[in-house]
Amino acid sequence: SFDDRRVDAHSQGQLPTAKETNVSMMLLDEYKMYGDIWVTPNRDYYRDMNEKLLGVLKYGVEKGADYIIKPDDDYCVSLAVLNQTITNHEKGHADSELYAGTNYWEGTEYQSMRGPHGETSPFMSGAIIVVSRKLAEILVGPDWVPNVLRGSYGTSSDDANLGKMIDRAKEEHNVSVNTVVNRNLIQCNLWRHKTLAELFQDCYSQDLAKKKSTLVKWS
């Protein structure tokens, strides 16, 4: 969102800004042409990232994805490393769910990571997060209400909250989780490119030429 007006102000019938309208129309045109965009009903404010994360997980579950991958928009996933990570998980941890990412935190490093009563949970932060289907089903199914009420987790960080959600799932639903940290899940990032188009062309041109598989593994 490009809206710089006060987020707590009540303005009935408020119209979008000119930038908001312009971006919305461009995204709508691309959706009509390619059908490759799904939009969550959340403004893209940092404080709303928790709800956006849950929306992505819910969409993946509803579409039947075996694994749901959430990359930041300025990073590309290494498909080869992703596929190998999934293969290793399925061979060595068949009875567990997968939670993978690129940066691991104990959750005790900073006070802001703690819950309202000092609770801590390890979590992944950074460019890419991978969650297996059955774990996601719990997060957006029986645990939907406590996960949406993120005030109980004590932070606006969706990454830190996801760690607390997963700890809750392990405790409440007796689910086993295989945690995997691999920086090589990142293939490239926007820092070295001027536009997203250049980023994707650089990251995936060779993969597309070889007709590699898609990002999400479907059942």
Side-chain angles (χ1 to χ4, degrees), residues 33-206:
M33 182 175 295
Y34 300 106
D36 61 352
I37 297 176
W38 182 71
V39 182
T40 64
N42 310 106
R43 285 188 179 274
D44 204 12
Y45 289 119
Y46 188 80
R47 70 176 190 177
D48 294 329
M49 292 297 98
N50 192 78
E51 290 76 6
K52 189 175 179 180
L53 169 63
L54 290 172
V56 170
L57 295 176
K58 188 171 186 293
Y59 178 75
V61 168
E62 290 173 347
K63 290 297 181 179
D66 289 333
Y67 297 92
I68 302 164
I69 297 87
K70 187 195 78 66
D72 285 351
D73 60 5
D74 51 353
Y75 285 86
C76 287
V77 179
S78 170
L79 302 183
V81 175
L82 173 63
N83 286 332
Q84 189 60 56
T85 299
I86 291 173
T87 298
N88 292 344
H89 167 73
E90 293 180 345
K91 286 183 177 180
H93 303 271
D95 296 329
S96 299
E97 296 306 307
L98 177 64
Y99 173 39
T102 58
N103 296 283
Y104 179 85
W105 298 81
E106 291 289 349
T108 59
E109 290 84 353
Y110 298 99
Q111 183 63 36
S112 59
M113 296 175 175
R114 298 177 180 271
H117 306 293
E119 306 93 335
T120 62
S121 293
F123 67 94
M124 303 286 184
S125 70
I128 297 163
I129 291 172
V130 183
V131 177
S132 57
R133 175 181 176 80
K134 289 184 179 179
L135 178 56
E137 285 179 333
I138 294 173
L139 301 183
V140 301
D143 286 358
W144 176 260
V145 171
N147 289 341
V148 170
L149 297 175
R150 59 178 171 79
S152 62
Y153 295 134
T155 176
S156 62
S157 168
D158 57 324
D159 297 340
N161 285 347
L162 181 57
K164 292 182 173 65
M165 294 178 197
I166 290 174
D167 268 3
R168 178 188 176 86
K170 290 161 67 175
E171 181 179 348
E172 297 288 331
H173 305 283
N174 196 30
V175 60
S176 175
V177 178
N178 175 31
T179 301
V180 176
V181 185
N182 192 340
R183 289 283 297 173
N184 293 325
L185 282 166
I186 300 172
Q187 179 153 320
C188 50
N189 60 59
L190 186 58
W191 302 343
R192 301 174 183 173
H193 302 79
K194 293 181 180 179
T195 66
L196 284 173
E198 291 179 2
L199 170 67
F200 281 101
Q201 183 177 17
D202 183 40
C203 286
Y204 294 129
S205 58
Q206 294 181 357

